[in-house]
């Protein structure tokens, strides 16, 4: 998502761009794709996420690729995590108060109020009260948006080729002169941007640049098309998180299903099947729909920088740049726009100052 957004943005600015698309399971194609700024986080990151939401309202919603149907959250113990992967939890009431103080749309609902928001829900799966509703959050169809961005980049004159590449340092080691192809060949470039998700940090390390990561393992599943009871809101229950999807599907994940999982390449098919089956049962109960069937479940690495904040800009040598972030679904469009402007004009963005790779330098 990040690379495709920058590919489109640079093409629109008249830059000749080549996008190297590495094989593998990209988290952008298997993401919960939640658009939000709900977390208690760094003020600059909060401002960036707000701008990310605005970009989706202006760009993705008119294309039919994003919907803002709100989020219903609750927990049987009276606690919720306000953002996927958050390190801290807070009570439903405190999350509500913090969000309205910041100008967000937030309500505390009972069961009847939640059913007014989304009538597909099973009343027996809802608590009597204490349900927090964020009406200004939504989700985006990331695969659809990636296809749109790449097509726009190609129309602007860019090219896409398959294959994992790595930056090629000049003999003096003070700049990159292009990339090295899998067969040992080279492609010359005036600048190289690494936007490879969870692999970003490995690629930078091969170029001698240490950027820490906190990549986490996730299990993401998708249902087959649902004939009725189509959900309208994202739901974050104690057992499973569910969002509506394109073509009448639902996408879901659960931190419970991810507990105890090792590295991606060590997760067995049995573990994946067991986790997906347990999540599916919770989804069926949530909508009182035993006919919902599993279409696909995958294990992905979430590309999380070491301190949880985006990493954007020059990375060690003059013309090597990085574009990495968790919550890429929310911030990809605005990050690509801001970095693209910097690369073409040379004028740095004040908002991105907090996210430079140099913060990790010793």
């Amino acid at each position: 998502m990040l690379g495709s957004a920058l590919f489109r943005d640079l093409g629109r600015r008249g830059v000749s761009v080549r996008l190297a698309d590495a094989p593998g399971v990209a988290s952008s194609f298997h993401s919960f794709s939640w658009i939000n700024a709900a977390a208690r986080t760094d003020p600059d990151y909060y401002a960036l996420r707000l701008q990310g939401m605005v970009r989706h309202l202006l760009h993705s919603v008119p294309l039919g690729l994003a919907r803002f149907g709100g989020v219903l959250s609750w927990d049987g113990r009276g606690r919720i995590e306000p953002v996927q992967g958050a390190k801290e939890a807070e009570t439903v009431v405190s999350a509500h108060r913090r969000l309205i103080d910041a100008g967000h749309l937030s309500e505390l609902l009972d069961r009847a109020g939640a059913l007014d928001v989304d009538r597909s829900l099973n009343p027996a799966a809802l608590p009597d009260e204490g349900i927090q509703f964020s009406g200004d959050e939504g989700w985006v169809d990331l695969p659809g948006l990636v296809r749109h961005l790449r097509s726009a980049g190609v129309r602007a004159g860019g090219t896409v080729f398959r294959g994992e590449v790595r930056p090629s340092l000049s003999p003096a080691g003070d700049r990159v002169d292009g990339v090295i192809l899998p067969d040992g060949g080279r492609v010359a470039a005036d600048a190289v941007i690494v936007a490879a998700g969870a692999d970003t940090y490995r690629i930078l390390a091969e170029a001698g640049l240490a950027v820490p990561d906190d990549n986490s393992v996730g299990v993401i599943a998708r249902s087959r098309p649902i004939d009725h009871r189509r959900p309208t809101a994202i739901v974050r229950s104690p057992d499973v998180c569910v969002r509506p999807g394109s073509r009448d599907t639902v996408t879901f994940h659960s931190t419970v299903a991810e507990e105890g999982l090792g590295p991606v390449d060590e997760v067995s098919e049995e573990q994946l099947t067991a986790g997906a089956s347990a999540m599916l049962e919770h989804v069926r109960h949530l909508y009182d729909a035993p006919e919902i069937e599993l279409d696909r479940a995958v294990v992905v690495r979430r590309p999380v920088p070491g301190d949880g904040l985006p990493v954007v800009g020059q990375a060690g040598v003059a013309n090597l740049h990085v574009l990495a972030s968790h919550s890429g679904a929310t911030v990809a469009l605005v990050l690509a726009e801001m970095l693209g402007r910097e690369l073409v004009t040379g004028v740095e963005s004040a908002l991105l100052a907090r996210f430079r790779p140099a913060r990790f330098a010793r």
Side-chain angles (χ1 to χ4, degrees):
M1 176 61 199
L2 287 163
S4 298
L6 186 59
F7 177 66
R8 188 279 302 262
D9 187 86
L10 288 173
R12 292 173 62 185
R13 298 178 190 276
V15 178
S16 176
V17 192
R18 302 184 74 175
L19 177 65
D21 189 10
V25 180
S27 59
S28 294
F29 295 106
H30 306 284
S31 169
F32 197 63
S33 310
W34 183 10
I35 304 172
N36 75 92
R40 182 195 287 119
T41 186
D42 179 278
D44 287 335
Y45 191 29
Y46 174 71
L48 183 70
R49 293 171 74 96
L50 286 178
Q51 290 300 320
M53 295 173 69
V54 170
R55 295 312 188 277
H56 280 298
L57 287 167
L58 295 174
H59 179 78
S60 307
V61 170
L63 292 172
L65 295 172
R67 300 176 190 172
F68 282 76
V71 181
L72 292 164
S73 303
W74 70 90
D75 193 300
R77 297 172 296 281
R79 301 179 69 81
I80 64 169
E81 290 182 350
V83 69
Q84 178 182 346
K87 301 296 185 183
E88 299 178 359
E90 60 185 328
T91 66
V92 169
V93 173
S94 66
H96 165 69
R97 289 175 176 169
R98 176 175 59 79
L99 289 170
I100 60 173
D101 284 346
H104 288 274
L105 298 175
S106 180
E107 300 176 73
L108 290 178
L109 306 176
D110 57 13
R111 179 185 288 117
L115 291 173
D116 285 340
V117 170
D118 192 337
R119 296 191 176 277
S120 69
L121 292 168
N122 176 13
L126 302 175
D128 294 336
E129 57 186 9
I131 303 170
Q132 187 260 334
F133 176 59
S134 295
D136 53 6
E137 299 178 23
W139 61 275
V140 58
D141 174 5
L142 278 189
L145 186 53
V146 166
R147 288 191 293 270
H148 168 78
L149 293 169
R150 291 190 178 185
S151 295
V154 170
R155 289 195 300 272
T159 57
V160 181
F161 65 94
R162 294 282 289 173
E164 184 172 320
V165 303
R166 65 183 190 275
S168 170
L169 289 175
S170 65
D174 59 347
R175 60 182 287 110
V176 292
D177 51 21
V179 295
I180 302 174
L181 302 174
D183 62 4
R186 295 173 183 264
V187 174
D190 297 312
V192 174
I193 303 99
V194 182
D199 286 327
T200 295
Y201 317 100
R202 174 185 57 79
I203 294 172
L204 292 175
E206 291 176 355
L209 305 168
V211 175
D213 71 81
D214 189 25
N215 293 342
S216 61
V217 177
V219 175
I220 297 289
R222 183 183 63 207
S223 77
R224 293 180 180 175
I226 303 172
D227 291 334
H228 63 285
R229 297 179 183 266
R230 297 184 181 94
T232 58
I234 296 173
V235 171
R236 301 183 63 246
S237 78
D239 302 307
V240 68
C241 299
V242 189
R243 70 158 174 85
S246 303
R247 296 178 292 277
D248 299 325
T249 63
V250 292
T251 295
F252 48 98
H253 83 95
S254 169
T255 55
V256 176
E258 297 164 4
E259 291 177 355
L261 292 179
V264 170
D265 55 3
E266 295 181 8
V267 176
S268 68
E269 191 67 31
E270 291 75 16
Q271 286 177 303
L272 177 59
T273 300
S277 297
M279 290 192 295
L280 181 62
E281 289 307 311
H282 290 306
V283 172
R284 288 170 170 170
H285 175 61
L286 188 62
Y287 298 104
D288 190 21
E291 70 276 9
I292 295 179
E293 296 182 356
L294 180 69
D295 178 39
R296 186 181 185 190
V298 296
V299 181
V300 297
R301 287 180 296 162
R302 297 191 183 99
V304 186
D307 58 3
L309 300 176
V311 186
V312 188
Q314 184 181 337
V317 297
N319 58 340
L320 178 63
H321 307 269
V322 60
L323 182 57
S325 181
H326 181 46
S327 196
T330 298
V331 300
L333 292 177
V334 66
L335 278 181
E337 176 186 320
M338 298 172 76
L339 181 58
R341 183 186 301 120
E342 285 190 355
L343 292 170
V344 171
T345 67
V347 179
E348 294 188 349
S349 165
L351 181 56
L352 294 183
R354 178 73 177 87
F355 310 124
R356 301 303 184 187
R359 71 184 186 268
F360 298 116
R362 297 188 178 182

